[in-house]
Amino acid sequence: MEQEKGQFPYQNKVCYVFSRSPFENTNDVTFINEDIVNFIDNIKKEDGENIWIVGGGDILHTFLKENLIDELILTVAPTIIREGIPLFKVGNYQLDLSLSGTRTFNQFVELHYTVNK
């Protein structure tokens, strides 16, 4: 929020945040601490089109191993971090991807892939 100067970046969108820690919901975000697969199955039953997930290696790992990804958008930042959570964790999954687009903004490169099913 500091980078957004206090302005919530996803206004007019229903936003959920998966968290292991309990947080109080806000006007902009509902915090979720339940099984991801069950939650996503319930969300798919609601009206709407796309479910957009923003996150790192922990949440991505669940979506990969449960085959819940149709598209993958990776943003590459010009910073190398020695330690941290890897984006792609070791697991028994494989994705066949097709590059559908790229774009650059400032120092960042965005890679947009569709998942071949």
Side-chain angles (χ1 to χ4, degrees), residues 52-102:
W52 179 41
I53 305 297
V54 178
D58 283 340
I59 196 161
L60 178 59
H61 183 74
T62 299
F63 281 86
L64 287 171
K65 73 179 185 178
E66 296 296 334
N67 197 28
L68 294 172
I69 296 178
D70 298 314
E71 296 179 77
L72 187 63
I73 300 173
L74 301 173
T75 302
V76 180
T79 302
I80 304 297
I81 301 172
R82 287 186 358 197
E83 297 178 20
I85 300 169
L87 183 58
F88 299 104
K89 293 180 155 193
V90 174
N92 188 20
Y93 56 86
Q94 180 175 336
L95 286 180
D96 181 21
L97 303 173
S98 293
L99 183 65
S100 60
T102 63

Side-chain angles (χ1 to χ4, degrees), residues 10-91:
Y10 307 114
Q11 289 183 1
N12 302 318
K13 302 224 182 282
V14 178
C15 296
Y16 302 99
V17 172
F18 292 98
S19 175
R20 292 182 189 105
S21 303
F23 288 100
E24 189 171 322
N25 295 340
T26 70
N27 291 334
D28 298 311
V29 174
T30 301
F31 291 92
I32 307 299
N33 186 348
E34 64 180 81
D35 180 73
I36 292 173
V37 176
N38 289 337
F39 182 80
I40 295 300
D41 285 344
N42 289 329
I43 290 291
K44 286 180 176 181
K45 295 174 187 172
E46 296 179 9
D47 289 338
E49 293 183 22
N50 297 324
I51 301 170
W52 179 41
I53 305 297
V54 178
D58 283 340
I59 196 161
L60 178 59
H61 183 74
T62 299
F63 281 86
L64 287 171
K65 73 179 185 178
E66 296 296 334
N67 197 28
L68 294 172
I69 296 178
D70 298 314
E71 296 179 77
L72 187 63
I73 300 173
L74 301 173
T75 302
V76 180
T79 302
I80 304 297
I81 301 172
R82 287 186 358 197
E83 297 178 20
I85 300 169
L87 183 58
F88 299 104
K89 293 180 155 193
V90 174

